[in-house]
Amino acid sequence: MFVRTFRKSALLTGLLLTGVVLAGAALLIWPQAAAAGVSRGLSICSSVIIPALFPFLVLSGFLVRSGLSAKMGRRLDRVTRFLFGLPGCCGAGILIGFIGGYPAGGVAVGELVERGDITREEGKRMLRFCVNGGPAFIISAVGAGLMGQPVYGFMLYGAHIAAALTLGIAGRFRRGAAVEETGESGCARSGLRVKIPPQSAASAFVESVNAACRSLLYMCGFVVLFAALLSLGDASGVTAAVETVLCAPFQLAGADTAGIASLFPCLLEVSCGCVEAAASGPAAPFLLGMALGWGGLSVHCQLTASLHGQRLIDRGFFAARGLHALLGGLLTLLLFRFVPVAVSTGISFSETVVKPYTTSATASLALLLMCALFLLTLATRRTSSGGSSGKKN
């Protein structure tokens, strides 16, 4: 037993050391490629990630910290329990997961677990269908930018959300009894976790912005890293070698390999994967649906960093991402059978994804509503404090 454990740990250490040495050598041999990848990653962060996610991260944090999600949960309790077997306070997080983009929904789930509104098991189940692409990215960047028409983006988004809803409802039948046995409405269920009381509106707003900035720092770091890795892979020939290996079985069988080469970038990073998948001809709808459902290892790492210490990422999460990819691809293929597909090829990454498509009216309206709520709360507090001081005098 000791020898086997020792050999396994020594082998793992050797593999890690070899990987570090190879990565360092690649940085020294192809420094321009690494710099170009970092530059592209920073461009994605400034033009796509921050404008799209920051408002929703602040919004999700404010909803949970201020107690609004718990109050909304009293009205949404029947709906969320019937559909997903989850308490009503999850409704706001589910909505953020459907419209906020990667990985705002997962961050909202982490907020609910951290404050004791839901249990860790409920958070894991919720996480399996709340990590989705946002409508701004899918409709504008992928549909209008990569495929040439917004209607394709609406079809992709519809299939993407339908796959997520399918996973959520399936999870409700799997473990729905665990929630309904409590027989209580709302989210403050005793004996499960110590529930943190809601903060004042001003404190919740400040803490939400602080937490959103920390989460964005994690996300942008992984986006830059994976962009650099993809650039190094292109320069070193690793990407071409992996694509050759993936295409070899299909070539031997005489099948079309036009879309197989895009699987590797789809596995790593969703934006670059969508660019490659959109140029794969007739297989584009299926591959795009799979890429959006999987989300990319970059998004998974971002979510893991944001939820560190909460132990929400497990094998079930990655299994759910694989199922989402398969369902998303099949549903997208089914929808696109009703509409002829004319995919534009030769579209560069800089012309599409890096454009600020994700500065949506929804995000702007959410920010304005939050600011108005914040100012209204301050005015109310000042009025009440002035009235109480006048009574004392």
Side-chain angles (χ1 to χ4, degrees):
M1 179 70 69
F2 174 75
V3 175
R4 183 181 300 177
T5 304
F6 176 76
R7 289 179 178 176
K8 183 178 180 180
S9 61
L11 179 62
L12 180 60
T13 302
L15 290 175
L16 291 176
L17 183 59
T18 303
V20 171
V21 171
L22 291 177
L27 290 174
L28 294 175
I29 297 173
W30 297 284
Q32 294 181 347
V38 171
S39 178
R40 185 175 66 176
L42 291 174
S43 179
I44 296 173
C45 291
S46 62
S47 300
V48 177
I49 302 298
I50 295 176
L53 292 183
F54 183 72
F56 288 103
L57 291 176
V58 176
L59 180 62
S60 62
F62 183 81
L63 285 173
V64 175
R65 286 182 169 84
S66 63
L68 289 177
S69 61
K71 294 178 181 178
M72 293 171 58
R74 295 166 187 162
R75 297 184 178 275
L76 298 175
D77 189 72
R78 292 185 179 179
V79 177
T80 56
R81 285 183 185 277
F82 177 76
L83 290 178
F84 310 112
L86 293 169
C89 60
C90 298
I94 293 172
L95 181 61
I96 293 293
F98 286 167
I99 66 175
Y102 308 110
V107 176
V109 174
E111 295 280 355
L112 290 170
V113 174
E114 182 179 1
R115 300 191 64 82
D117 290 338
I118 59 176
T119 64
R120 182 177 289 110
E121 289 301 319
E122 290 170 344
K124 289 181 180 180
R125 188 150 53 92
M126 188 177 172
L127 198 64
R128 291 170 188 174
F129 69 96
C130 288
V131 181
N132 306 301
F137 173 70
I138 297 178
I139 296 173
S140 297
V142 180
L146 290 176
M147 305 191 72
Q149 295 187 32
V151 64
Y152 296 145
F154 282 103
M155 295 167 65
L156 283 169
Y157 182 69
H160 184 68
I161 297 302
L165 287 172
T166 303
L167 290 176
I169 295 172
R172 178 254 186 279
F173 289 105
R174 181 182 177 186
R175 294 185 179 180
V179 176
E180 293 185 350
E181 285 177 358
T182 58
E184 299 179 20
S185 61
C187 300
R189 286 162 292 155
S190 59
L192 296 179
R193 286 202 62 173
V194 178
K195 183 174 171 60
I196 300 176
Q199 301 175 351
S200 64
S203 177
F205 181 78
V206 173
E207 289 293 330
S208 300
V209 174
N210 187 14
C213 291
R214 290 198 307 269
S215 298
L216 278 177
L217 184 60
Y218 295 143
M219 296 173 196
C220 292
F222 282 108
V223 169
V224 172
L225 175 62
F226 274 85
L229 290 177
L230 286 172
S231 183
L232 283 174
D234 293 337
S236 62
V238 172
T239 302
V242 173
E243 292 174 353
T244 302
V245 172
L246 291 175
C247 294
F250 296 90
Q251 290 176 345
L252 293 176
D256 186 14
T257 61
I260 306 302
S262 63
L263 291 179
F264 182 63
C266 289
L267 178 67
L268 294 182
E269 212 281 319
V270 63
S271 300
C272 299
C274 286
V275 173
E276 298 293 334
S280 58
F286 180 73
L287 292 174
L288 283 171
M290 289 192 65
L292 293 170
W294 172 250
L297 290 178
S298 175
V299 171
H300 302 166
C301 290
Q302 296 168 29
L303 195 56
T304 303
S306 299
L307 302 178
H308 66 283
Q310 298 186 17
R311 294 178 294 173
L312 296 176
I313 306 295
D314 57 2
R315 294 179 181 178
F317 170 78
F318 292 102
R321 301 319 303 163
L323 287 174
H324 196 168
L326 182 60
L327 284 173
L330 293 176
L331 290 175
T332 303
L333 192 62
L334 182 63
L335 282 178
F336 270 75
R337 286 195 176 273
F338 297 98
V339 178
V341 182
V343 180
S344 302
T345 58
I347 302 175
S348 65
F349 186 85
S350 60
E351 292 176 351
T352 55
V353 181
V354 181
K355 288 184 178 180
Y357 290 116
T358 50
T359 308
S360 61
T362 305
S364 302
L365 179 61
L367 273 181
L368 289 175
L369 289 175
M370 289 182 62
C371 292
L373 180 62
F374 174 65
L375 294 175
L376 181 62
T377 305
L378 285 182
T380 305
R381 288 169 61 90
R382 289 178 180 176
T383 304
S384 60
S385 62
S388 61
S389 61
K391 290 181 180 179
K392 289 181 181 180
N393 292 332

